[in-house]
Amino acid sequence: MTLPKAVKIVEVGPRDGLQNESAFVASSIKIELIERLATAGCRHIEATSFVSPRKIPQLADAAEVMRAIRRAPEVTYSALTPNLKGFEAAMDAGANEIAVFAAASETFSRKNINCSTEESLTRFEPVLDAAKRAGVRARAYVSCALGCPYEGEIAPAAVTRVAERLFNQGCYEISLGDTIGVGTPLAAKRMIEAVAEKIPLENLAGHFHDTYGMAAANVWAALEMGMAVFDSSVGGLGGCPYAPGAAGNLATEDLAWLMQGSGVETGLDLPKLVDCANWISGVLGREAVSRVARALKKL
């Protein structure tokens, strides 16, 4: 078995990790979190989301946060932009990459964004066209790639259809999301194999939630197949407001530990990452859920 020599880790904590917090997290804390992550070696940080404040009140300060970050030149600061208005606001605030999202589950799509999957893909066309004209790279997420809270198991063919459409619309990287964390290594491999028949593996990423403790195992399965891009969230923060019972994302420090022990380069400074996880978890009034942060804190 030959593993990739290095992986790209996309840190989604400032957006996906914080968006469901019930108590508003101060803009200054969000800014400090992003800056701490950059100091810990994160080179791809999803900083915020330019969506309606009514839908995601936690990220109502998106423009303020994006403008105030002290930028590290080697870091990509991206933002989720589901519509043209959001894209324009993100550009004005200084985002240098955008992301869009669609679901492989029709029911999830309707409950999440009140439209069908096909309608959501159509809505993204002007956003992706605008990004192309502006010379801004666009990334995409495919939700429910390994299961849906309403429909149950999702066929790999359904994931492939959505992923291929987004790739053909101009998204350079497609992140395949196990939104409710029900995936297992074998299911993950089957899904990735199906998608990789239509999209080059180097343009695919894994986004695994840890509801049943399978996130790291699913990363390993994907890594064995040659996947070299993974999303994670510092401290294991996050979840999905439209997926009842879904636990947080794979913790970035757990992912970094796995890669470090496997001889795969991440560019991350693990002690600084653990410090960041413990800090933000303390700010939010709880202990970091990641195993690595808890273990190293006791040493």
Side-chain angles (χ1 to χ4, degrees), residues 100-122:
V100 296
F101 59 92
S105 160
E106 280 293 322
T107 307
F108 187 86
S109 182
R110 292 186 183 279
K111 288 183 177 290
N112 188 356
I113 55 176
N114 199 32
C115 70
S116 69
T117 298
E118 178 60 33
E119 288 170 333
S120 72
L121 293 169
T122 300

Side-chain angles (χ1 to χ4, degrees), residues 134-148:
V136 174
R137 296 209 301 177
R139 195 172 191 256
Y141 295 96
V142 178
S143 302
C144 301
L146 287 169
C148 170

Side-chain angles (χ1 to χ4, degrees), residues 1-5 189 217 219-227 258-259 261-264:
M1 178 183 66
T2 301
L3 299 178
K5 293 182 179 179
K189 282 189 172 183
V219 165
W220 187 259
L223 197 70
E224 287 183 322
M225 297 182 67
M227 182 177 279
L258 174 63
M259 295 298 106
S262 306
V264 178

Side-chain angles (χ1 to χ4, degrees), residues 150-175:
Y150 311 107
E151 296 183 12
E153 186 176 347
I154 298 295
V159 183
T160 302
R161 282 194 297 272
V162 177
E164 185 180 19
R165 177 77 173 274
L166 289 163
F167 185 67
N168 290 339
Q169 284 179 321
C171 296
Y172 81 97
E173 193 166 271
I174 312 296
S175 178

